[in-house]
Amino acid sequence: MKISIRRSRRAAIAVALGSVLALTATACGDDGSGAAGDKGNEGSGKGEVTFWDNNGGVRTDIWKEIIADFEKANPDIKVKYVGIPAASAQSKYDTAIQGGGLPDVGGVGTAMLAGVAVQGALEPLDSRLKESALNGKLSQNLVESSRAAGGGESLFQIPTSSNNGTLWYRTDLFEKAGLDAPTTWTKFYEAADKLTNKGKNEFGFTIRGGEGSIAPALDAAYSQAGISSFWNGDKTTVNDPKMVAALEKYVALYKKDTPSADVNNDFAKMVAQWDSGDIGMLSHNLGSYQDHLKALGADKFRGIPSPTQDDGSRVQISNPVDGLSVFKSSKNKTAAWKFVEFAVSHEENSKYNKSAGQIPANTEAAKDEWIQKAEPTKLAAEALNGADTKIVQLPYYLPDWNTLSKADNEPNYQKVLLGKMSAKEFLDTLADQLNAAQAEWNEQSS
């Protein structure tokens, strides 16, 4: 797949923002290097570079610490920090692409990577990484997720961190019931059934039926089906018969082994319900660890990677990857790249992810002591970086992906849970939409 500007999508943005951007650029001046059309240059490797943090406020302190370390190691380079709230990062980049003011380097997550890349704003980083000390020291699965999210050819993002699907389970309830850890899908379903006692309001599992439900449902289905690619040519595999069978088995848990309230539960309600009730298992990522620790105490729960098939083979969907990108318009790409290299080096990447509670992209950092002491993160890192782990790359590069995986299909998934739509009908509908989106992408990218 080749990347080119999606004219129809971006024309509307340009028209809508044009006059405002012109006034903004005139009144305020650029706080970065330029606009998307600028080719930039390598620069002297000295002076000042501007860095946009795409999760400003939440990560400001740790980034300022990394910047201080960088400036100490590189006294001839200064980094201007600009913190941008995560919710407005996409619009901030779009505005700067159209009207000027892009940074030299910025945080760009995989959810927005293709949208920025297709506008010609990002510098391909393959050759820089190949010649860098980072080469061979980054999680290959995360690098491939970054590449796929950018469109599949060039690498437009150096990954810094990722999350991973985690199955949280109540060790006290499992021990009482004489159950093994739910490391395989067979053990998972056995536990879900055995731990359920509706008369006592006890359930084996809580399933996500509200906002954000599509990704965990697809993760469960791909993992059980053992299908390791999202596409078979230009047709999606989401409605493969094995996927249909896997999803049918998974959604059959609803109201049988799960609370009926699950149909409307987003992650916050689901986590709160698990932390306060007698529910055996919860599928969520590493981000809820502190909530569980506070509610239950360290001796009552455990977090392990999502179940494998009975033979131990692991298939999982790609999780959003955070990372750093160099902007093509930068007038000092040499210095910008130095900052990226430094930030993703062993010590700094470890420091960043310890603060963020995520899995380091740097494989040396992933072996550090703090991870070894945090079992859920340690196991997640081992699963993510496992040589036999197969990652199904979700099509983050499709402009319609967020809409298809949220607003367009979450209501349909609720119908599946409620028995008003079959799993096959749900997946066939999703497949038709995805195939059409892929065809449009191919047409626009040719």
Side-chain angles (χ1 to χ4, degrees), residues 345-354 360 362-374 377-378 381:
S345 65
H346 177 176
E347 183 176 346
E348 302 301 320
N349 191 234
S350 181
K351 185 184 299 184
Y352 175 83
N353 282 283
K354 183 177 181 180
N362 188 301
T363 53
E364 293 177 336
K367 298 175 184 176
D368 281 355
E369 185 178 1
W370 68 269
I371 286 190
Q372 304 309 309
K373 291 181 177 179
T377 308
K378 175 179 179 288

Side-chain angles (χ1 to χ4, degrees), residues 18-167:
S19 59
V20 175
L21 295 173
L23 289 172
T24 301
T26 302
C28 302
D30 288 354
D31 62 353
S33 59
D38 298 339
K39 293 183 179 179
N41 55 63
E42 290 300 311
S44 65
K46 301 178 181 180
E48 182 177 271
V49 293
T50 298
F51 164 60
W52 283 8
D53 172 12
N54 62 326
N55 199 2
V58 177
R59 303 280 181 248
T60 296
D61 289 345
I62 187 61
W63 273 119
K64 286 191 172 180
E65 188 176 334
I66 292 170
I67 288 169
D69 291 345
F70 175 75
E71 291 179 344
K72 184 177 180 180
N74 299 271
D76 52 359
I77 304 175
K78 297 297 179 186
V79 178
K80 179 182 178 182
Y81 172 88
V82 179
I84 303 168
S88 58
Q90 176 76 68
S91 61
K92 178 76 170 176
Y93 279 125
D94 280 339
T95 299
I97 287 168
Q98 297 297 326
L102 283 168
D104 298 281
V105 59
V108 182
T110 47
M112 72 175 82
L113 185 63
V116 177
V118 295
Q119 298 178 80
L122 300 179
E123 178 82 359
L125 300 174
D126 301 84
S127 60
R128 294 179 194 269
L129 178 59
K130 187 176 181 179
E131 297 171 4
S132 169
L134 290 177
N135 191 28
K137 295 183 179 179
L138 300 180
S139 165
Q140 193 57 38
N141 281 335
L142 290 189
V143 170
E144 289 310 310
S145 290
S146 295
R147 188 184 303 280
E153 288 191 353
S154 297
L155 183 66
F156 292 107
Q157 178 212 57
I158 299 299
T160 57
S161 54
S162 183
N163 223 316
N164 207 57
T166 299
L167 183 64

Side-chain angles (χ1 to χ4, degrees), residues 246-263:
L247 188 62
E248 286 174 342
K249 187 172 184 179
Y250 187 67
V251 299
L253 292 170
Y254 175 64
K255 289 181 72 172
K256 180 174 81 73
D257 293 325
T258 80
S260 59
D262 281 357
V263 70

Side-chain angles (χ1 to χ4, degrees), residues 205-221 246-254 262-265 404-423 425-427 429-430:
F205 184 55
T206 175
I207 195 169
R208 187 168 179 170
E211 184 180 357
S213 59
I214 303 301
L218 290 179
D219 197 20
L247 188 62
E248 286 174 342
K249 187 172 184 179
Y250 187 67
V251 299
L253 292 170
Y254 175 64
D262 281 357
V263 70
N264 293 313
N265 282 355
L404 291 179
S405 63
K406 296 182 185 298
D408 283 2
N409 283 287
E410 286 176 353
N412 284 344
Y413 183 63
Q414 289 181 315
K415 290 179 182 178
V416 177
L417 291 175
L418 294 170
K420 297 179 179 180
M421 177 182 276
S422 70
E425 185 180 0
F426 166 72
L427 291 174
T429 299
L430 178 59

